[in-house]
Amino acid sequence: DAQGQGGIINIKSKRTFAQGFNGTLSANAGGMGFSRNLELLNPEKSFYFTQDVNLNLNYRTEKTNTFLQLSESTMPMGVDVNATTTSEHFSQVSQSYYDAHISSRSLKLGNDWFIDDKNTLGFIFTMPMTGMFQSADTDCNRSFQQIDGSTTQRVNSYASTEFDNRQYMGNINYTHTFDPQKMSEMTANLDYMHNVQLSDNVLANYYRFFAVPAEVAPLLLRDNMTLHSDNVVDIYSAKVDYQSLVFGMFMMEAGAKWAFSMTDNTLDRVFGSTFADGSVDGTHTVTPFDYHEHIGAGYATLATQIKQWAAKVGLRGEYTYAYNTENSVRQDYFNLFPTVFVGYTSTDMKKRINLSYTRRIQRPNYSQLNPFRNYIDAHTANEGNPD
């Protein structure tokens, strides 16, 4: 693929390996320490206990191979977030200590059907789930503003973030061997993924002002905000790969891939403010954001090995077309990704020299693209870049 640094190691075991029923069960436990020290608190140290359990089951016959994998893990932790902004006359310091808890579960079920010596049909179903909750109370989440060294405002905040992420992934794959002597085979894959992420962000700010002129009244005493976002992503992909030994000395590989993703985001935002004069202000908005992306790719590589020398050359072309339903974002581009490799190994196997060149890209993940804000304290938030 155009993204990433490595390749694929293709390990093939014999078809009759480990027939019958077998399995493994493993468990791990550990912990981490975390220290926090705010002026309002005595120095405090916490210990967080982590654990994970994994179960792998496999049943193999001459014609089929069925496997089941289950895993579960929990990881609580302490999170320390500090932010400082300064200029000639103004400074702002935010201190946040969060308690966080991350849990994950995963189920994977698959089967390979060895139709005959040249044809294999299989499927894989995977269902990973991840949940996270983190919170900081008003003693552990504070923000200060100063002008010329004098504190003008202090905000104590209660903040919590919770998200639930669930994925459902299915794969159907087919492999056909044309000529075992030439290692000629074709592999086809159909994939589908449905990703759902529900996120809730709650923020309550309590303001205190110092040495503020009366003309700026009414002063803000408190504000409350609740954000709920639904993020749904559907991804469809199809790919076919072919490899064969040509001219008795070159291994040729070629393939094509198409992927289509649909992202459907909705943000529900409720905001309210209370002022010193008793007035109240509030808003409630619902914002949708949809994003579609098509990626088509094709590649070909040629590799050979002559005595102590090995060489490989490849080229991948990739076309991307992306847009949102409001047509405020639209991208259409084509990229080429070449790869060249040359290696030499001495006859005594004590020296090896490799020289390679490749071009890669790094795609942003969905959280980096998500345009909705997640608030940490009264003056600190993070959000993605939809452009």
Side-chain angles (χ1 to χ4, degrees), residues 150-164:
S150 299
T151 300
T152 58
Q153 175 185 275
R154 187 185 75 199
V155 187
N156 293 71
S157 303
Y158 168 79
S160 69
T161 301
E162 180 177 7
F163 79 82
D164 180 25

Side-chain angles (χ1 to χ4, degrees), residues 7 17 31 62 131 175 199 215 255 293 305 351 357:
F17 177 75
E62 188 68 29
T175 300
S199 177
E215 56 265 23
E293 184 178 67
Q305 182 163 346
K351 292 185 292 294
Y357 167 80

Side-chain angles (χ1 to χ4, degrees), residues 25-330:
L25 175 65
S26 63
N28 296 279
M32 65 176 70
F34 180 72
S35 300
R36 66 190 78 198
N37 187 11
L38 288 171
E39 294 85 346
L40 299 179
L41 297 175
N42 294 322
E44 180 182 337
K45 294 185 177 181
S46 303
F47 184 82
Y48 297 92
F49 181 77
T50 64
Q51 60 85 25
D52 66 83
V53 180
N54 297 278
L55 174 67
N56 296 306
L57 301 175
N58 189 87
Y59 181 72
R60 190 180 186 98
T61 68
E62 188 68 29
K63 285 290 185 180
T64 63
N65 179 47
T66 305
F67 58 89
L68 172 67
Q69 299 176 2
L70 298 172
S71 65
E72 187 272 340
S73 67
T74 59
M75 185 172 63
M77 66 176 67
V79 181
D80 179 3
V81 182
N82 294 308
T84 302
T85 303
T86 60
S87 62
E88 183 178 358
H89 299 284
F90 173 81
S91 67
Q92 177 177 289
V93 178
S94 299
Q95 300 172 321
S96 301
Y97 286 91
Y98 277 83
D99 283 316
H101 185 275
I102 301 174
S103 62
S104 63
R105 297 175 179 84
S106 178
L107 178 149
K108 185 175 184 179
L109 175 66
N111 182 79
D112 290 322
W113 176 31
F114 308 116
I115 302 172
D116 52 38
D117 291 340
K118 293 187 176 183
N119 297 278
T120 302
L121 180 66
F123 79 88
I124 303 173
F125 173 76
T126 310
M127 187 175 66
M129 296 178 290
T130 304
M132 187 275 288
F133 177 78
Q134 66 178 26
S135 64
D137 59 27
T138 53
D139 287 334
C140 295
N141 199 353
R142 303 175 304 158
S143 179
F144 300 87
Q145 290 185 350
Q146 291 185 335
I147 297 178
D148 292 328
S150 299
T151 300
T152 58
Q153 175 185 275
R154 187 185 75 199
V155 187
N156 293 71
S157 303
Y158 168 79
S160 69
T161 301
E162 180 177 7
F163 79 82
D164 180 25
N165 183 219
R166 300 187 179 188
Q167 295 180 352
Y168 306 91
M169 296 180 286
N171 165 269
I172 298 176
N173 57 84
Y174 170 73
T175 300
H176 175 73
T177 301
F178 295 95
D179 187 348
Q181 299 299 321
K182 294 183 178 181
M183 293 180 284
S184 300
E185 70 175 30
M186 182 272 296
T187 302
N189 281 269
L190 295 175
D191 289 273
Y192 169 71
M193 183 185 80
H194 180 68
N195 181 87
V196 179
Q197 179 170 306
L198 306 178
S199 177
D200 289 283
N201 183 208
V202 177
L203 180 68
N205 300 313
Y206 301 88
Y207 297 85
R208 183 178 179 184
F209 295 89
F210 306 89
V212 178
E215 56 265 23
V216 302
L219 297 179
L220 177 63
L221 294 183
R222 184 178 74 252
D223 62 36
N224 299 275
M225 181 173 56
T226 301
L227 299 175
H228 174 77
S229 66
D230 293 341
N231 174 248
V232 180
V233 182
D234 290 287
I235 300 178
Y236 304 83
S237 73
K239 64 178 180 178
V240 59
D241 300 275
Y242 175 78
Q243 71 170 32
S244 181
L245 189 65
V246 296
F247 304 118
M249 58 182 299
F250 295 100
M251 174 58 70
M252 185 270 293
E253 298 179 53
K257 179 181 179 179
W258 170 81
F260 171 57
S261 65
M262 297 183 296
T263 302
D264 182 6
N265 291 333
T266 303
L267 176 69
D268 191 331
R269 181 180 186 270
V270 179
F271 181 79
S273 300
T274 303
F275 297 89
D277 63 356
S279 60
V280 177
D281 185 25
T283 60
H284 182 192
T285 58
V286 178
T287 306
F289 184 86
D290 297 329
Y291 179 77
H292 295 174
E293 184 178 67
H294 296 264
I295 298 177
Y299 77 92
T301 67
L302 200 63
T304 188
Q305 182 163 346
I306 303 174
K307 295 183 179 180
Q308 280 74 48
W309 290 91
K312 187 168 187 175
V313 60
L315 182 65
R316 181 184 184 90
E318 194 165 272
Y319 171 75
T320 300
Y321 176 59
Y323 60 94
N324 65 345
T325 53
E326 293 81 11
N327 285 321
S328 60
V329 176
R330 185 173 292 271

Side-chain angles (χ1 to χ4, degrees), residues 350-364:
K350 291 184 178 181
K351 292 185 292 294
R352 178 178 297 168
I353 301 174
N354 295 326
L355 178 65
S356 65
Y357 167 80
T358 186
R359 180 172 185 256
R360 291 288 187 266
I361 61 173
Q362 180 175 327
R363 300 184 186 278

